[in-house]
Amino acid sequence: STEFQPEKCLTLKVGYALNDLWSLKLFKKSLNNGKHFIVLSIERQRDEQRVQVIMKLSFTDLHSNKTLSAQCFKRLRSIDKSKRLNLNKPINRMLYKSEKFRVTGKIYLRLISKPVSLASPQTLITLSTDFRKMCCNTIYSDVNLRCGSEVFAAHKTVLAMRCPKFNEMFKENVNEVTIDVKDLTPHVLKAILLFIYSGVPDPFTFQSACDLLIAADKYGLIELKVLCVNHIRSSFTVKNVLDYFLKYEVAKTYASEFIEENISEIEKTEQWQNFRTEFPDLVSEILQDSFQMFDIENDEQLIEVGQVTEVSSCNDQAPDESVQS
């Protein structure tokens, strides 16, 4: 606990994780128009890895004993040493007026794997091209996949080695020459087969990425799932994300994540004003979904950095305005 002076910075040393030292900085800022706000930023010593930061913090005014909680996360790119975090208005108001307060909570990290790269040496490109020619080719095929009104010729060895779901199918139907695929559409099945054979998907649209994401999850195609998610995330803008949130159920989690990270810009758009008027109940759902997607107690990929406890020093000056937001 400490007295919190305007234009002074509190540095909360959190802990050491992922070969880096992590800390929080909390300071007050005043604008020329007379408005005030609280800035909270997560900082690290190095900038080599892509990391997701997940936090559960509680702020208690020691005079009134009022406690407010914040749940938020941010992504740090490999070039980022710091990220500003948004605190909601009630917390902002309480902290700015508070003469003395306590901060408690926990911080977790998740290392973000690098996107699957399609770049490869020429020999692998040739291999991919040659195997692609085998897809749906009857030459030396030993199984037919029947999906709706269409039948696709395939090769059991290739499918079993590349796809866990097909491997299970063939174990259950050892002597069957024709196997029914009832949980996919013909279009999606063909797209999956092309990826299984070549390792390279056809160019995505947002719709096809969503369809293939569902199928890749069912069939255990992790690399395809990563590519689909990357395309979905890269498709969002502040103007289209709300439409995608409403239209595509499978993209809701990623849309909520984008909204959480870009809420200050999205709130300025006409789409957001219309959305708040038409779907008021969904506004709080969107801002909560991005945090609730993490199962903190059971997620083995999360690394606890440390616990934030009482702060006893606020001698540092406020960080420079250039802190990345």
Side-chain angles (χ1 to χ4, degrees):
S1 58
T2 184
E3 294 182 359
F4 193 19
Q5 302 295 330
E7 307 304 327
K8 294 290 184 177
C9 177
L10 299 177
T11 300
L12 294 70
K13 295 181 180 179
V14 178
Y16 189 82
L18 295 180
N19 298 318
D20 217 336
L21 185 62
W22 297 82
S23 61
L24 288 178
K25 287 195 175 180
L26 190 69
F27 60 97
K28 296 180 179 181
K29 295 296 293 183
S30 300
L31 302 178
N32 293 333
N33 60 9
K35 292 185 177 181
H36 312 285
F37 64 99
I38 303 296
V39 175
L40 175 66
S41 66
I42 182 76
E43 303 198 355
R44 58 182 176 177
Q45 296 293 317
R46 303 165 64 187
D47 54 353
E48 297 178 357
Q49 303 180 91
R50 298 173 67 237
V51 176
Q52 203 161 43
V53 182
I54 306 161
M55 298 196 303
K56 296 185 72 174
L57 300 176
S58 293
F59 301 87
T60 302
D61 185 336
L62 297 183
H63 178 71
S64 64
N65 285 325
K66 181 179 181 180
T67 299
L68 295 175
S69 298
Q71 300 176 340
C72 53
F73 75 91
K74 278 289 183 181
R75 234 192 225 102
L76 274 70
R77 300 168 298 172
S78 59
I79 61 173
D80 294 329
K81 281 192 175 180
S82 65
K83 275 283 186 178
R84 285 189 179 181
L85 304 157
N86 297 322
L87 292 176
N88 59 38
K89 290 181 180 178
I91 292 178
N92 239 297
R93 285 195 292 267
M94 185 186 79
L95 292 183
Y96 199 85
K97 295 178 181 179
S98 177
E99 295 181 356
K100 201 170 187 180
F101 67 92
R102 178 179 293 116
V103 185
T104 59
K106 289 186 177 182
I107 298 177
Y108 302 85
L109 299 177
R110 170 183 281 158
L111 182 62
I112 303 175
S113 59
K114 294 182 179 180
V116 175
S117 175
L118 299 184
S120 56
Q122 185 59 44
T123 53
L124 293 181
I125 294 175
T126 302
L127 179 64
S128 173
T129 302
D130 291 343
F131 265 80
R132 190 180 184 88
K133 294 174 184 177
M134 290 175 59
C135 183
C136 303
N137 194 323
T138 57
I139 298 178
Y140 304 121
S141 66
D142 53 2
V143 67
N144 292 315
L145 304 177
R146 184 164 53 205
C147 184
S149 59
E150 297 188 36
V151 177
F152 302 92
H155 307 79
K156 283 186 177 181
T157 302
V158 176
L159 299 190
M161 291 297 100
R162 293 273 291 152
C163 176
K165 180 72 176 286
F166 279 124
N167 188 37
E168 290 300 317
M169 283 186 185
F170 299 148
K171 286 181 180 179
E172 294 171 2
N173 303 275
V174 177
N175 299 317
E176 295 293 331
V177 177
T178 300
I179 295 178
D180 290 313
V181 179
K182 299 179 180 179
D183 56 351
L184 301 177
T185 64
H187 178 75
V188 171
L189 175 56
K190 184 173 183 180
I192 280 184
L193 291 174
L194 283 171
F195 179 80
I196 288 174
Y197 276 86
S198 68
V200 181
D202 280 340
F204 290 122
T205 63
F206 194 87
Q207 177 69 63
S208 69
C210 289
D211 292 340
L212 283 176
L213 176 57
I214 297 172
D217 189 49
K218 286 181 181 179
Y219 281 71
L221 299 171
I222 297 174
E223 294 90 351
L224 179 58
K225 186 176 178 180
V226 170
L227 291 172
C228 292
V229 170
N230 286 344
H231 180 83
I232 289 171
R233 284 175 169 158
S234 66
S235 299
F236 292 135
T237 68
V238 295
K239 292 186 177 180
N240 70 19
V241 66
L242 296 173
D243 291 335
Y244 283 146
F245 176 86
L246 292 172
K247 187 175 180 181
Y248 297 94
E249 184 68 29
V250 69
K252 275 191 173 183
T253 296
Y254 309 111
S256 297
E257 178 184 311
F258 181 87
I259 293 169
E260 170 73 16
E261 292 185 348
N262 299 275
I263 188 63
S264 59
E265 292 299 318
I266 292 173
E267 284 180 328
K268 301 174 185 177
T269 65
E270 182 180 350
Q271 288 86 347
W272 177 257
Q273 303 308 321
N274 294 337
F275 187 86
R276 290 188 62 181
T277 301
E278 192 171 352
F279 307 101
D281 295 339
L282 289 179
V283 174
S284 58
E285 178 189 328
I286 288 176
L287 298 180
Q288 291 174 6
D289 274 354
S290 57
F291 186 83
Q292 291 173 347
M293 65 185 281
F294 302 107
D295 183 359
I296 286 180
E297 300 300 326
N298 300 310
D299 193 334
E300 295 180 355
Q301 294 183 3
L302 292 184
I303 301 171
E304 183 175 333
V305 185
Q307 299 189 26
V308 180
T309 54
E310 295 175 279
V311 183
S312 58
S313 173
C314 59
N315 298 322
D316 298 332
Q317 296 297 319
D320 187 84
E321 287 289 338
S322 62
V323 174
Q324 298 180 28
S325 59

